[in-house]
Amino acid sequence: MEKFEGTVVDIIFSNDSNGYTVARLKTEDYNEIITGIMPGIASGENIEVFGEWNIHENYGRQFQVKEYRVVVPSTISGILAFLSSGVITGVGEKMAKKIVDKFGIRTLEVIQNSPQELLSIGGIGPKKLAPIIESYNENMGVKNIIVSLSPYGISPKLSMKIYRKYGSKSLEIIESNPYRLIEDIVGIGFKIADDIASKTGIEKNSKYRIEQGIMHILKEAINDGHTFLPEDKLLDTSIELLGVPEDLIEEHIYNLAIERKIVVEKYGDYHIIYLAKYHKAEIDVCNNLISLAYENHRDLKIDINEEIEAFEERENIYLANAQKQAVRAAFENGVMVLTGGPGTGKTTTINAIIKLFRINGQKVVLAAPTGRAAKRMTETTGKKAKTIHRLLEMAFDVDDRLIFTKNEDEPVDADVIIIDEASMIDIFLMDNLLKAMSNKTRLILVGDADQLPSVGAGNVLGDIISSGAITVISLTEIFRQAQKSDIIMNAHRINQGEDIKANSKGTDFYFINRDNESGILEEIKSLVGGRLSSFYKCDSLKDIQVLSPMRKGIVGVTNMNIELQKILNPVRNEWLEVELMKRVFRVGDKVMQIKNNYSRPWEDEKSIENGEGIYNGDIGYIYHIDKQNKLIYIVFDEYKIFKYKYDELDEIEHCFCTTVHKSQGSEFPVVIIPMTWGPPMLLSRNLIYTAVTRAKKLVIIVGMKKYLDRMIENDINNDRYSNLGYKLSTFRINNIVE
């Protein structure tokens, strides 16, 4: 590789998300154009670059940078340019000249090693000196960390976190034990740490490596929905990942158990192994559910049958026997589960329960796992519902770790808490919800156990239902009005493993056969591009939602969004779009928020109203791009305007098409589902059932019937390592049945 040194005189382009930069570098002889991943470089800095020359067809001769390092300026003009660039807080061009005139070539040495000498400069007193020292040290420290870690794929943002945690000892700590980063820095996992370790010469059988490798495998299992792994599976996976003997892994499993980082539990004839946090969560959920269900519920001293009769007469409504049973169970139990498929009357039952509790002076609080689900709950009940995270008053600690301010010491103020879409609750969220409940509060969980399980670890609703320890009321009768909908009837057929019925006259459910992925794509583009909107009088952008089982492939989410963007929001003007993170964001794009962000501010320009908070699953539309200030404005809920910096767009993804998992808790007027080959874990009954039940007015499946049949046959709903059901049922057998 070639190398040379120079001063950055101009940043022509910089992508904050990945560090790609085009700059003009002044050498002793020429001004050269350099390109490459150079996060954080600034005008005025001296850098040494390593790479090779090439000729760009449009821009001519350029130097492609493979590596670079910041070099302390060694000339008076270089030092002056560096200090004048504004990288040091409190030092502008005039102050920079004063300092350089005073100390000359010694300037940077003085700032770094004897900064008190700066007090001799007019205009610098003790108050101004402190931020100069702090800014200089942080600037140089962060630059060195960014440069040193960029070959390992660590972003500038993570490098800043590392520097803030370790300061000047950052490189020393990283080189001696990079696995320490996993526990100390949110966002760094085993693979990055292991890559650093291999390049710094750390042995494969290092204690740190083996133990962090074991922890990594358990964390990956959590990401796949499991709360534990069987010991033999953990051993096999660890041997494959780490390449060390089994006895070494067993030794370190034992060490981790002694250190209480993991828990080894006896289950039948074999052992199962948890991360300690998730074992405790499972134990606590079991204990708190049992406590709420059997020890603390209060008798309101009312005749519930008379209350139900009066409600029916007052509301001019008739409740079926199972619905009445659910209302009674809500009043007679500390914890109750209400489950049932579409068209079975869950909403009517919930509304009856809410009204009867309120009539009897009980404070009822409503919540759901996601923002979209909470909004739907608000719409169907007429009462304000929150996300569970907002109900528990989510916050982040100084290390960006999730915490809840509602807990055992400050529980939620409620007599009754009703949670909708409970199938989406993972073990961690359930644990925190139960901890934030007073022992006098009733809990009612409402959900459809046949939908996809939670994205997070555990199978909470399914385990509670199967355990037999908690009262469960299942609504199975499909009401006459609902029987007129093929969407509802096909959902129940799918749930029973039966073939669908489609394409009848006047139906709301269609299957369009296409025998290859290109044909599927073209058919969906045609439907979305105008055929449906003209026939059904619907808005192609707002009313139609394409739901794909997978992200990859021609009809996966990634490619579908690219293709549908061309149809629904084509190029109009280059000033109305920007390319970031290998995606084109364009005014008018349909996008989805993919992370809860309760502190993100919004405003309504028409009413001058403002507030804060955006939820995972919220769908909005880009309405303005400010290239000068690197901002994208997105409107949600028709009036809430949020501003996103370019480097914050990891919270946003295009939503012309989204995954079935991301659609949980949502409803759309029209749903289109591409049907093609996929891995067995995605071609499952609960996935197609969830997709179909997202539609209110129309479902269209486009693709190959054999794969739809395979999905309906593939009933792997509870294929997760989760032990909550066993713990609950064991308690029931030992303490209740006897």
Side-chain angles (χ1 to χ4, degrees):
M1 288 192 297
E2 294 189 53
K3 69 174 182 176
F4 61 90
E5 182 179 328
T7 302
V8 179
V9 294
D10 185 23
I11 303 294
I12 299 170
F13 172 81
S14 178
N15 186 328
D16 294 336
S17 63
N18 61 18
Y20 180 79
T21 304
V22 179
R24 186 173 285 106
L25 194 71
K26 182 181 180 182
T27 68
E28 290 184 2
D29 301 316
Y30 304 103
N31 281 354
E32 305 288 2
I33 300 298
I34 59 173
T35 67
I37 305 300
M38 297 175 282
I41 68 167
S43 295
E45 287 186 320
N46 267 38
I47 61 173
E48 186 174 25
V49 293
F50 303 80
E52 57 190 30
W53 292 100
N54 61 28
I55 305 297
H56 191 280
E57 60 180 352
N58 294 325
Y59 303 114
R61 171 184 158 100
Q62 296 180 340
F63 189 79
Q64 188 173 355
V65 177
K66 303 295 185 183
E67 299 176 20
Y68 82 102
R69 65 185 182 90
V70 177
V71 179
V72 176
S74 57
T75 65
I76 289 178
S77 61
I79 294 170
L80 181 60
F82 172 69
L83 290 183
S84 300
S85 67
V87 295
I88 307 300
T89 300
V91 178
E93 291 184 16
K94 291 182 179 179
M95 183 58 70
K97 190 172 187 312
K98 282 186 180 182
I99 296 172
V100 174
D101 285 346
K102 173 75 174 178
F103 299 108
I105 201 71
R106 293 180 52 244
T107 296
L108 297 183
E109 180 187 341
V110 168
I111 296 175
Q112 185 168 341
N113 300 321
S114 54
Q116 296 299 320
E117 291 187 49
L118 294 175
L119 293 173
S120 63
I121 303 291
I124 298 181
K127 286 186 178 180
K128 192 165 185 176
L129 178 63
I132 290 175
I133 297 171
E134 182 180 354
S135 177
Y136 178 84
N137 290 337
E138 181 167 336
N139 184 276
M140 296 307 293
V142 170
K143 286 289 190 300
N144 289 333
I145 290 294
I146 287 174
V147 172
S148 300
L149 297 184
S150 60
Y152 303 114
I154 297 179
S155 69
K157 197 171 184 179
L158 283 177
S159 297
M160 293 282 286
K161 285 186 178 181
I162 292 170
Y163 183 79
R164 290 192 186 108
K165 179 71 177 178
Y166 304 135
S168 60
K169 295 185 177 180
S170 296
L171 287 176
E172 177 187 337
I173 289 171
I174 290 167
E175 289 170 358
S176 63
N177 177 19
Y179 299 101
R180 182 172 167 182
L181 295 170
I182 299 170
E183 295 185 4
D184 289 349
I185 309 296
V186 175
I188 292 185
F190 178 80
K191 291 182 179 179
I192 292 177
D194 203 39
D195 186 36
I196 297 172
S198 67
K199 292 175 181 177
T200 54
I202 292 177
E203 297 292 331
K204 284 177 66 176
N205 61 357
S206 157
K207 169 184 184 295
Y208 302 121
R209 180 173 185 267
I210 295 174
E211 292 187 357
Q212 286 299 336
I214 293 167
M215 297 284 283
H216 166 71
I217 291 166
L218 290 173
K219 289 173 185 175
E220 288 290 293
I222 294 295
N223 292 336
D224 290 336
H226 309 297
T227 57
F228 68 85
L229 283 180
E231 184 179 31
D232 58 350
K233 187 173 182 66
L234 177 60
L235 285 170
D236 291 344
T237 310
S238 298
I239 291 169
E240 183 179 350
L241 173 71
L242 300 170
V244 298
E246 182 175 325
D247 59 340
L248 264 182
I249 295 170
E250 288 179 331
E251 176 188 337
H252 288 292
I253 287 175
Y254 179 73
N255 290 340
L256 287 168
I258 291 175
E259 295 171 6
R260 299 184 179 180
K261 292 181 178 179
I262 65 173
V263 173
V264 181
E265 186 178 85
K266 182 80 171 174
Y267 179 65
D269 295 329
Y270 59 95
H271 290 101
I272 59 179
I273 299 174
Y274 294 80
L275 289 174
K277 180 171 78 169
Y278 284 88
H279 181 263
K280 185 175 187 307
E282 204 169 79
I283 292 288
D284 288 349
V285 166
C286 176
N287 292 340
N288 287 329
L289 273 173
I290 294 297
S291 177
L292 282 172
Y294 294 101
E295 298 175 16
N296 301 310
H297 90 268
R298 291 178 293 176
D299 184 358
L300 297 180
K301 302 188 184 306
I302 61 172
D303 187 326
I304 188 58
N305 292 320
E306 287 185 5
E307 295 274 347
I308 291 172
E309 287 181 16
F311 170 79
E312 289 180 311
E313 184 175 346
R314 185 170 58 250
E315 300 287 331
N316 192 25
I317 193 172
Y318 171 76
L319 297 178
N321 288 334
Q323 291 176 305
K324 292 178 183 178
Q325 185 184 1
V327 175
R328 283 194 291 269
F331 278 79
E332 293 169 356
N333 294 275
V335 181
M336 188 267 281
V337 174
L338 175 64
T339 187
T344 57
K346 289 200 304 292
T347 298
T348 300
T349 307
I350 295 169
N351 284 329
I353 290 170
I354 292 170
K355 289 178 180 178
L356 286 172
F357 269 121
R358 286 185 165 173
I359 286 171
N360 284 280
Q362 300 296 287
K363 182 175 181 180
V364 182
V365 170
L366 310 180
T370 67
R372 296 283 292 183
K375 288 172 187 174
R376 278 185 59 207
M377 195 179 191
T378 299
E379 292 164 1
T380 57
T381 64
K383 308 296 180 185
K384 179 66 176 176
K386 299 179 178 180
T387 64
I388 298 174
H389 287 79
R390 184 170 283 282
L391 177 69
L392 303 183
E393 297 183 6
M394 182 189 86
F396 291 92
D397 63 16
V398 292
D399 294 318
D400 284 339
R401 290 181 171 85
L402 179 68
I403 58 173
F404 295 101
T405 57
K406 290 294 183 183
N407 49 39
E408 304 97 318
D409 299 323
E410 189 180 347
V412 175
D413 180 19
D415 297 304
V416 183
I417 295 178
I418 302 177
I419 305 294
D420 199 9
E421 296 287 356
S423 63
M424 300 171 69
I425 302 177
D426 60 41
I427 193 71
F428 177 75
L429 187 57
M430 190 66 179
D431 182 28
N432 283 280
L433 173 65
L434 293 172
K435 285 176 179 175
M437 289 183 61
S438 160
N439 59 9
K440 301 300 182 185
T441 301
R442 284 179 167 84
L443 176 64
I444 299 170
L445 299 173
V446 183
D448 188 342
D450 296 311
Q451 289 187 22
L452 289 168
S454 59
V455 174
N459 186 34
V460 173
L461 184 64
D463 283 353
I464 291 173
I465 292 171
S466 65
S467 72
I470 302 297
T471 298
V472 178
I473 306 298
S474 297
L475 303 180
T476 57
E477 179 185 350
I478 305 173
F479 287 92
R480 186 176 303 170
Q481 186 66 28
Q483 292 176 16
K484 298 177 182 178
S485 168
D486 282 337
I487 294 175
I488 290 175
M489 298 310 295
N490 277 325
H492 286 276
R493 291 187 187 100
I494 289 168
N495 203 19
Q496 297 302 315
E498 300 172 3
D499 195 12
I500 63 164
K501 294 182 180 180
N503 302 348
S504 60
K505 185 177 179 180
T507 186
D508 55 7
F509 198 107
Y510 290 89
F511 181 88
I512 300 174
N513 184 67
R514 292 292 179 270
D515 59 7
N516 59 70
E517 291 191 347
S518 296
I520 296 170
L521 174 61
E522 292 306 313
E523 182 66 24
I524 292 175
K525 286 166 64 176
S526 175
L527 289 167
V528 171
R531 280 168 56 196
L532 277 181
S533 61
S534 61
F535 189 80
Y536 283 94
K537 307 301 180 188
C538 60
D539 186 312
S540 293
L541 193 61
K542 294 185 178 180
D543 295 337
I544 300 173
Q545 184 60 55
V546 181
L547 300 179
S548 179
M550 61 204 79
R551 288 193 173 273
K552 297 181 180 179
I554 294 175
V555 293
V557 168
T558 302
N559 188 62
M560 287 290 287
N561 273 318
I562 293 170
E563 294 297 325
L564 294 178
Q565 184 187 43
K566 297 174 185 176
I567 299 293
L568 293 170
N569 194 29
V571 178
R572 298 185 301 280
N573 186 313
E574 65 176 6
W575 293 106
L576 298 177
E577 64 181 55
V578 62
E579 184 173 356
L580 297 164
M581 300 184 293
K582 299 182 180 179
R583 295 180 290 168
V584 174
F585 292 91
R586 186 173 295 147
V587 171
D589 278 351
K590 184 179 184 180
V591 294
M592 176 184 283
Q593 174 79 16
I594 58 173
K595 298 177 182 178
N596 289 325
N597 189 333
Y598 296 105
S599 61
R600 181 172 292 285
W602 59 265
E603 60 183 21
D604 177 4
E605 290 183 343
K606 293 181 180 178
S607 66
I608 319 180
E609 184 183 355
N610 59 69
E612 58 183 25
I614 184 80
Y615 308 119
N616 182 10
D618 281 357
I619 294 175
Y621 303 87
I622 296 176
Y623 94 106
H624 178 60
I625 296 175
D626 180 352
K627 292 187 176 182
Q628 182 175 353
N629 294 304
K630 297 183 179 179
L631 294 171
I632 290 184
Y633 292 72
I634 303 176
V635 60
F636 292 88
D637 295 334
E638 297 184 355
Y639 70 94
K640 294 180 180 178
I641 298 169
F642 293 81
K643 289 187 289 189
Y644 292 79
K645 297 176 183 177
Y646 283 2
D647 62 1
E648 295 174 330
L649 290 174
D650 57 346
E651 293 187 11
I652 292 293
E653 67 180 23
H654 284 94
C655 189
F656 304 106
C657 175
T658 190
T659 62
V660 179
H661 284 84
K662 280 291 184 186
S663 74
Q664 282 183 274
S666 302
E667 275 190 347
F668 310 97
V670 180
V671 166
I672 300 176
I673 306 164
M675 184 58 56
T676 185
W677 178 91
M681 64 180 294
L682 292 178
L683 293 188
S684 66
R685 181 186 300 174
N686 58 1
L687 190 141
I688 187 62
Y689 174 79
T690 301
V692 166
T693 54
R694 298 309 90 203
K696 292 191 287 186
K697 296 181 179 179
L698 181 66
V699 168
I700 302 176
I701 300 176
V702 182
M704 294 169 251
K705 183 66 162 53
K706 64 180 179 180
Y707 293 118
L708 175 60
D709 294 340
R710 192 172 298 178
M711 291 184 85
I712 294 172
E713 292 167 4
N714 185 15
D715 187 16
I716 58 169
N717 190 26
N718 297 321
D719 191 19
R720 287 186 170 196
Y721 294 121
S722 172
N723 216 22
L724 176 62
Y726 174 78
K727 288 179 171 66
L728 287 167
S729 60
T730 301
F731 180 93
R732 174 178 175 270
I733 292 168
N734 293 339
N735 297 280
I736 300 171
V737 175
E738 294 177 358

